[in-house]
Amino acid sequence: MSLLSSCQSLQSFTRRTALSGGLALLMLPTVKMALAASDVWPKNLVVPGGVARISLGPAAVRPTVHDGDVPVLVLGDVIEWTAVLGIPLGALPGNASLTVQAPGGSTKQVAYTITPKQYREQRLKVAPGTVDLAPNDLARFEKERAHQASVMGTFSEPLPQEPLRMQVPTPGRRSSSFGLRRVFNGQSRNPHSGMDIAAPTGTPIVAPLPGQVIDTGNYFFNGNTVWLDHGGGLLSMVCHLSAIEVKVGERLQTGDRIGAVGATGRVTGPHLHWGVMLNQAMVDPALFLAD
Ligand code: ZN
């Protein structure tokens, strides 16, 4: 049982007993402590594009965990370690496992199950000839893709500071289009891998968590983009900016200004595209927000 599920059951138990009286008073301090330990992490949603909180049990030293050869964030303490795993949008539902290495060197597989999730599909008809990139644009995109892949491979210490609940980087109407499958003239494109927030050009964008700026640039699809490294393979990106106001290497605190909303790159109007990446998987940023 994960820490989350044990907390939820404790919480609902307390709610029930609160109606009938005295025992709730005895339970309350325990519940508060348990929530303090777990409610600061992203929500557990074990679907493609989600985040799995996988219990690893107690150990004297933080275990090392890999998903294939990609390192995975491990949080907790000697009483209960938890792998906090990003699941790629392209992951197949069903059984999967992580490799857990104890400090002594012994390894074991820890199983988890990815539940299917059917994301919405959007079919668009656009003018013929606009679906495929022109040769120049394609060459630029391929070069940028290689650079972005190296940025996405960042896994740095120290691990992210808790709480891991993020601040929304800009005010505005949030779309629920994460995972949306887009089909142009019958051709599938990559699913939408972030959250769009509608806001006028110039609206400030701030850091959702403490982090270091690891990349800035102007990219074909994403326009003016900033990547932040929060530690432990947790990254965030903001795209389509009208202005970038930070430099690579700068350390930011939550709420520090990164830049301003714009419409750079391949977009139809000003908005912020906000992406969150965990162990190289783009996951739903909404899982990192408080309700
Ligand atoms: Zn977007």
Side-chain angles (χ1 to χ4, degrees), residues 175 177 182 192-197 222 239-240 267 271-274:
S175 80
S177 62
R182 288 173 294 193
H192 188 235
S193 61
M195 175 189 283
D196 288 338
I197 303 174
N222 293 339
C239 305
H240 313 308
V267 291
H271 71 279
L272 172 66
H273 174 98
W274 175 33

PDB file of all heavy atoms in Angstrom, residues 175 177 182 192-197 222 239-240 267 271-274, ligand 1:
ATOM      1  N   SER A 175      -6.481  25.176 -19.929  1.00  0.00           N
ATOM      2  CA  SER A 175      -7.148  24.161 -20.745  1.00  0.00           C
ATOM      3  C   SER A 175      -6.947  22.798 -20.093  1.00  0.00           C
ATOM      4  O   SER A 175      -6.030  22.604 -19.301  1.00  0.00           O
ATOM      5  CB  SER A 175      -6.542  24.123 -22.139  1.00  0.00           C
ATOM      6  OG  SER A 175      -5.337  23.379 -22.106  1.00  0.00           O
ATOM      7  N   SER A 177      -6.376  20.171 -21.998  1.00  0.00           N
ATOM      8  CA  SER A 177      -6.068  19.489 -23.258  1.00  0.00           C
ATOM      9  C   SER A 177      -4.817  18.618 -23.181  1.00  0.00           C
ATOM     10  O   SER A 177      -4.344  18.142 -24.209  1.00  0.00           O
ATOM     11  CB  SER A 177      -5.905  20.518 -24.374  1.00  0.00           C
ATOM     12  OG  SER A 177      -4.829  21.386 -24.078  1.00  0.00           O
ATOM     13  N   ARG A 182      -4.018  14.757 -31.692  1.00  0.00           N
ATOM     14  CA  ARG A 182      -4.371  15.626 -32.812  1.00  0.00           C
ATOM     15  C   ARG A 182      -4.102  14.934 -34.142  1.00  0.00           C
ATOM     16  O   ARG A 182      -3.036  14.351 -34.336  1.00  0.00           O
ATOM     17  CB  ARG A 182      -3.606  16.944 -32.714  1.00  0.00           C
ATOM     18  CG  ARG A 182      -4.167  17.795 -31.571  1.00  0.00           C
ATOM     19  CD  ARG A 182      -3.360  19.029 -31.313  1.00  0.00           C
ATOM     20  NE  ARG A 182      -2.032  18.704 -30.813  1.00  0.00           N
ATOM     21  CZ  ARG A 182      -1.222  19.614 -30.282  1.00  0.00           C
ATOM     22  NH1 ARG A 182      -1.584  20.870 -30.195  1.00  0.00           N
ATOM     23  NH2 ARG A 182      -0.034  19.252 -29.843  1.00  0.00           N
ATOM     24  N   HIS A 192      -0.791  16.318 -27.331  1.00  0.00           N
ATOM     25  CA  HIS A 192      -0.471  17.558 -26.631  1.00  0.00           C
ATOM     26  C   HIS A 192       0.106  17.205 -25.261  1.00  0.00           C
ATOM     27  O   HIS A 192      -0.542  16.548 -24.450  1.00  0.00           O
ATOM     28  CB  HIS A 192      -1.742  18.396 -26.485  1.00  0.00           C
ATOM     29  CG  HIS A 192      -1.476  19.758 -25.951  1.00  0.00           C
ATOM     30  ND1 HIS A 192      -2.097  20.259 -24.838  1.00  0.00           N
ATOM     31  CD2 HIS A 192      -0.630  20.722 -26.375  1.00  0.00           C
ATOM     32  CE1 HIS A 192      -1.642  21.485 -24.605  1.00  0.00           C
ATOM     33  NE2 HIS A 192      -0.764  21.783 -25.531  1.00  0.00           N
ATOM     34  N   SER A 193       1.341  17.655 -24.997  1.00  0.00           N
ATOM     35  CA  SER A 193       2.067  17.132 -23.838  1.00  0.00           C
ATOM     36  C   SER A 193       2.199  18.140 -22.706  1.00  0.00           C
ATOM     37  O   SER A 193       3.060  18.003 -21.851  1.00  0.00           O
ATOM     38  CB  SER A 193       3.456  16.668 -24.276  1.00  0.00           C
ATOM     39  OG  SER A 193       4.171  17.772 -24.793  1.00  0.00           O
ATOM     40  N   GLY A 194       1.338  19.162 -22.698  1.00  0.00           N
ATOM     41  CA  GLY A 194       1.399  20.142 -21.612  1.00  0.00           C
ATOM     42  C   GLY A 194       0.046  20.759 -21.361  1.00  0.00           C
ATOM     43  O   GLY A 194      -0.972  20.279 -21.861  1.00  0.00           O
ATOM     44  N   MET A 195       0.065  21.832 -20.579  1.00  0.00           N
ATOM     45  CA  MET A 195      -1.156  22.565 -20.256  1.00  0.00           C
ATOM     46  C   MET A 195      -1.073  23.931 -20.935  1.00  0.00           C
ATOM     47  O   MET A 195      -0.050  24.605 -20.840  1.00  0.00           O
ATOM     48  CB  MET A 195      -1.249  22.748 -18.741  1.00  0.00           C
ATOM     49  CG  MET A 195      -2.435  23.604 -18.300  1.00  0.00           C
ATOM     50  SD  MET A 195      -2.348  23.999 -16.523  1.00  0.00           S
ATOM     51  CE  MET A 195      -2.885  22.456 -15.816  1.00  0.00           C
ATOM     52  N   ASP A 196      -2.142  24.315 -21.628  1.00  0.00           N
ATOM     53  CA  ASP A 196      -2.196  25.650 -22.223  1.00  0.00           C
ATOM     54  C   ASP A 196      -2.943  26.590 -21.286  1.00  0.00           C
ATOM     55  O   ASP A 196      -4.000  26.233 -20.763  1.00  0.00           O
ATOM     56  CB  ASP A 196      -2.913  25.610 -23.577  1.00  0.00           C
ATOM     57  CG  ASP A 196      -2.071  24.937 -24.650  1.00  0.00           C
ATOM     58  OD1 ASP A 196      -0.831  24.880 -24.482  1.00  0.00           O
ATOM     59  OD2 ASP A 196      -2.644  24.471 -25.640  1.00  0.00           O
ATOM     60  N   ILE A 197      -2.385  27.755 -21.072  1.00  0.00           N
ATOM     61  CA  ILE A 197      -3.037  28.760 -20.230  1.00  0.00           C
ATOM     62  C   ILE A 197      -3.209  30.012 -21.083  1.00  0.00           C
ATOM     63  O   ILE A 197      -2.233  30.582 -21.584  1.00  0.00           O
ATOM     64  CB  ILE A 197      -2.199  29.076 -18.980  1.00  0.00           C
ATOM     65  CG1 ILE A 197      -1.946  27.784 -18.172  1.00  0.00           C
ATOM     66  CG2 ILE A 197      -2.895  30.138 -18.115  1.00  0.00           C
ATOM     67  CD1 ILE A 197      -1.013  27.956 -16.994  1.00  0.00           C
ATOM     68  N   ASN A 222       8.028  25.526 -30.527  1.00  0.00           N
ATOM     69  CA  ASN A 222       7.776  26.046 -29.179  1.00  0.00           C
ATOM     70  C   ASN A 222       8.051  27.541 -29.034  1.00  0.00           C
ATOM     71  O   ASN A 222       7.723  28.125 -28.010  1.00  0.00           O
ATOM     72  CB  ASN A 222       8.607  25.273 -28.155  1.00  0.00           C
ATOM     73  CG  ASN A 222       8.140  23.827 -28.036  1.00  0.00           C
ATOM     74  OD1 ASN A 222       7.007  23.513 -28.388  1.00  0.00           O
ATOM     75  ND2 ASN A 222       9.015  22.955 -27.555  1.00  0.00           N
ATOM     76  N   CYS A 239       6.703  27.831 -22.925  1.00  0.00           N
ATOM     77  CA  CYS A 239       6.902  28.055 -24.369  1.00  0.00           C
ATOM     78  C   CYS A 239       6.070  29.224 -24.887  1.00  0.00           C
ATOM     79  O   CYS A 239       5.094  29.623 -24.253  1.00  0.00           O
ATOM     80  CB  CYS A 239       6.498  26.803 -25.148  1.00  0.00           C
ATOM     81  SG  CYS A 239       7.330  25.315 -24.611  1.00  0.00           S
ATOM     82  N   HIS A 240       6.459  29.688 -26.077  1.00  0.00           N
ATOM     83  CA  HIS A 240       5.774  30.737 -26.850  1.00  0.00           C
ATOM     84  C   HIS A 240       5.931  32.123 -26.216  1.00  0.00           C
ATOM     85  O   HIS A 240       5.117  33.018 -26.449  1.00  0.00           O
ATOM     86  CB  HIS A 240       4.281  30.417 -27.044  1.00  0.00           C
ATOM     87  CG  HIS A 240       4.000  29.025 -27.494  1.00  0.00           C
ATOM     88  ND1 HIS A 240       4.620  28.470 -28.596  1.00  0.00           N
ATOM     89  CD2 HIS A 240       3.181  28.054 -27.008  1.00  0.00           C
ATOM     90  CE1 HIS A 240       4.181  27.221 -28.755  1.00  0.00           C
ATOM     91  NE2 HIS A 240       3.311  26.952 -27.809  1.00  0.00           N
ATOM     92  N   VAL A 267       1.935  28.869 -33.287  1.00  0.00           N
ATOM     93  CA  VAL A 267       0.724  29.026 -32.471  1.00  0.00           C
ATOM     94  C   VAL A 267      -0.267  29.889 -33.232  1.00  0.00           C
ATOM     95  O   VAL A 267       0.093  30.601 -34.169  1.00  0.00           O
ATOM     96  CB  VAL A 267       1.018  29.685 -31.097  1.00  0.00           C
ATOM     97  CG1 VAL A 267       1.802  28.764 -30.203  1.00  0.00           C
ATOM     98  CG2 VAL A 267       1.740  31.013 -31.265  1.00  0.00           C
ATOM     99  N   HIS A 271      -0.623  32.497 -25.713  1.00  0.00           N
ATOM    100  CA  HIS A 271      -0.941  31.642 -24.559  1.00  0.00           C
ATOM    101  C   HIS A 271       0.373  31.091 -24.031  1.00  0.00           C
ATOM    102  O   HIS A 271       1.402  31.157 -24.711  1.00  0.00           O
ATOM    103  CB  HIS A 271      -1.888  30.494 -24.934  1.00  0.00           C
ATOM    104  CG  HIS A 271      -1.262  29.418 -25.772  1.00  0.00           C
ATOM    105  ND1 HIS A 271      -1.088  29.532 -27.141  1.00  0.00           N
ATOM    106  CD2 HIS A 271      -0.748  28.210 -25.442  1.00  0.00           C
ATOM    107  CE1 HIS A 271      -0.513  28.437 -27.607  1.00  0.00           C
ATOM    108  NE2 HIS A 271      -0.291  27.618 -26.591  1.00  0.00           N
ATOM    109  N   LEU A 272       0.321  30.547 -22.825  1.00  0.00           N
ATOM    110  CA  LEU A 272       1.482  29.841 -22.281  1.00  0.00           C
ATOM    111  C   LEU A 272       1.269  28.354 -22.465  1.00  0.00           C
ATOM    112  O   LEU A 272       0.216  27.823 -22.096  1.00  0.00           O
ATOM    113  CB  LEU A 272       1.638  30.141 -20.782  1.00  0.00           C
ATOM    114  CG  LEU A 272       2.716  29.297 -20.074  1.00  0.00           C
ATOM    115  CD1 LEU A 272       4.104  29.627 -20.597  1.00  0.00           C
ATOM    116  CD2 LEU A 272       2.642  29.471 -18.575  1.00  0.00           C
ATOM    117  N   HIS A 273       2.254  27.679 -23.063  1.00  0.00           N
ATOM    118  CA  HIS A 273       2.284  26.215 -23.018  1.00  0.00           C
ATOM    119  C   HIS A 273       3.247  25.838 -21.905  1.00  0.00           C
ATOM    120  O   HIS A 273       4.420  26.198 -21.936  1.00  0.00           O
ATOM    121  CB  HIS A 273       2.765  25.629 -24.354  1.00  0.00           C
ATOM    122  CG  HIS A 273       2.954  24.138 -24.306  1.00  0.00           C
ATOM    123  ND1 HIS A 273       2.022  23.239 -24.757  1.00  0.00           N
ATOM    124  CD2 HIS A 273       3.985  23.397 -23.824  1.00  0.00           C
ATOM    125  CE1 HIS A 273       2.462  22.008 -24.567  1.00  0.00           C
ATOM    126  NE2 HIS A 273       3.658  22.077 -23.994  1.00  0.00           N
ATOM    127  N   TRP A 274       2.727  25.116 -20.911  1.00  0.00           N
ATOM    128  CA  TRP A 274       3.525  24.725 -19.740  1.00  0.00           C
ATOM    129  C   TRP A 274       3.680  23.210 -19.734  1.00  0.00           C
ATOM    130  O   TRP A 274       2.669  22.491 -19.739  1.00  0.00           O
ATOM    131  CB  TRP A 274       2.810  25.208 -18.477  1.00  0.00           C
ATOM    132  CG  TRP A 274       3.452  24.780 -17.195  1.00  0.00           C
ATOM    133  CD1 TRP A 274       4.775  24.595 -16.953  1.00  0.00           C
ATOM    134  CD2 TRP A 274       2.784  24.481 -15.958  1.00  0.00           C
ATOM    135  NE1 TRP A 274       4.977  24.215 -15.645  1.00  0.00           N
ATOM    136  CE2 TRP A 274       3.772  24.137 -15.020  1.00  0.00           C
ATOM    137  CE3 TRP A 274       1.443  24.479 -15.570  1.00  0.00           C
ATOM    138  CZ2 TRP A 274       3.459  23.775 -13.711  1.00  0.00           C
ATOM    139  CZ3 TRP A 274       1.133  24.129 -14.260  1.00  0.00           C
ATOM    140  CH2 TRP A 274       2.138  23.787 -13.345  1.00  0.00           C
TER     141      TRP A 274
HETATM  142 ZN    ZN B   1       0.219  23.659 -25.733  1.00  0.00          ZN
END
